[in-house]
Amino acid sequence: MIGLKRGTVTLVPYQEKWSEDAEKIISLLKHLLGDTAIDIQHVGSTAVYLIHAKPIIDISVAVRDLNDILPHIEVLKQNDIIFRGEVIEGEFLFVMGNDEIRTHHIHVVKWNGTKWIDYINFRDFLNTFPEKAMLYDACKRKLVMQFSNDRKSYTAGKEEIIQRLLTEARTWKLSLAGDDF
């Protein structure tokens, strides 16, 4: 199952087909964006093997400058990838799906900027440390019981644990890479 009605929250167990779907979209994006995309990665909860996730595939696209993506808006639209703008400061959002159901969120961010690094570190940290992934999963499962029809409140409720886990992920990554990261 891929896709979720806008504004709602449903969590489902990890599904291998999410990674397969992400690879197809990454391949399409590489074809459409060419050298504009420095790197493209499957991120978010659907990229974490142990946890429940909203069945919306998150993809992060790294570019040198956010404005580099603007000339590609029309070709992306022709491939059903719709530009939503700078919904979060420093990040352009594209979506796939229709007015009712969203299937993919594509986050365009600055290469090696904080958002890019956080997306990658968070995914890698949770996949490396199952006990941390399960803490995050427990928080999400509790919140979905309260906010299944209120995605904004669900997302806000995750913010504290996300920030705590991101701090741990940054420390972990620095310990692996030294001060060069």
Side-chain angles (χ1 to χ4, degrees):
M1 172 183 155
I2 295 177
L4 188 61
K5 184 178 177 187
R6 291 181 63 198
T8 66
V9 182
T10 300
L11 299 177
V12 296
Y14 176 81
Q15 297 178 23
E16 186 64 40
K17 67 181 176 180
W18 291 342
S19 292
E20 296 166 9
D21 183 83
E23 286 305 316
K24 288 178 189 170
I25 298 303
I26 288 169
S27 183
L28 173 64
L29 289 168
K30 285 179 179 177
H31 173 74
L32 296 175
L33 299 175
D35 292 340
T36 298
I38 298 170
D39 196 1
I40 306 174
Q41 296 276 329
H42 180 198
V43 297
S45 292
T46 59
V48 179
Y49 305 109
L50 294 175
I51 66 174
H52 291 75
K54 294 186 310 289
I56 298 174
I57 307 297
D58 284 291
I59 305 287
S60 187
V61 178
V63 294
R64 284 177 183 71
D65 183 283
L66 283 182
N67 292 327
D68 292 348
I69 201 74
L70 298 178
H72 299 278
I73 289 175
E74 188 56 38
V75 73
L76 290 167
K77 183 178 179 182
Q78 291 167 8
N79 286 272
D80 300 319
I81 302 170
I82 307 303
F83 182 61
R84 301 289 295 158
E86 193 172 2
V87 177
I88 299 172
E89 186 180 342
E91 176 179 313
F92 284 151
L93 177 67
F94 289 80
V95 297
M96 296 178 72
N98 58 42
D99 288 340
E100 278 295 306
I101 305 291
R102 292 285 188 246
T103 60
H104 300 75
H105 290 160
I106 300 166
H107 311 269
V108 178
V109 297
K110 189 171 178 3
W111 167 247
N112 274 342
T114 302
K115 291 182 182 303
W116 173 259
I117 292 168
D118 283 350
Y119 277 131
I120 304 305
N121 283 352
F122 194 72
R123 176 201 64 199
D124 292 351
F125 182 71
L126 294 182
N127 278 324
T128 301
F129 297 98
E131 68 280 7
K132 300 297 184 179
M134 297 318 291
L135 285 174
Y136 184 49
D137 188 66
C139 175
K140 290 171 45 157
R141 291 173 74 179
K142 179 180 174 189
L143 288 168
V144 77
M145 292 172 60
Q146 293 176 273
F147 301 115
S148 63
N149 289 308
D150 183 356
R151 193 177 301 178
K152 286 184 182 184
S153 294
Y154 168 82
T155 301
K158 297 186 306 178
E159 191 60 30
E160 183 180 327
I161 193 167
I162 288 172
Q163 290 308 314
R164 183 168 44 108
L165 292 170
L166 271 174
T167 298
E168 292 179 33
R170 289 178 191 125
T171 302
W172 167 70
K173 195 62 163 192
L174 285 171
S175 75
L176 293 178
D179 292 332
D180 293 336
F181 191 76

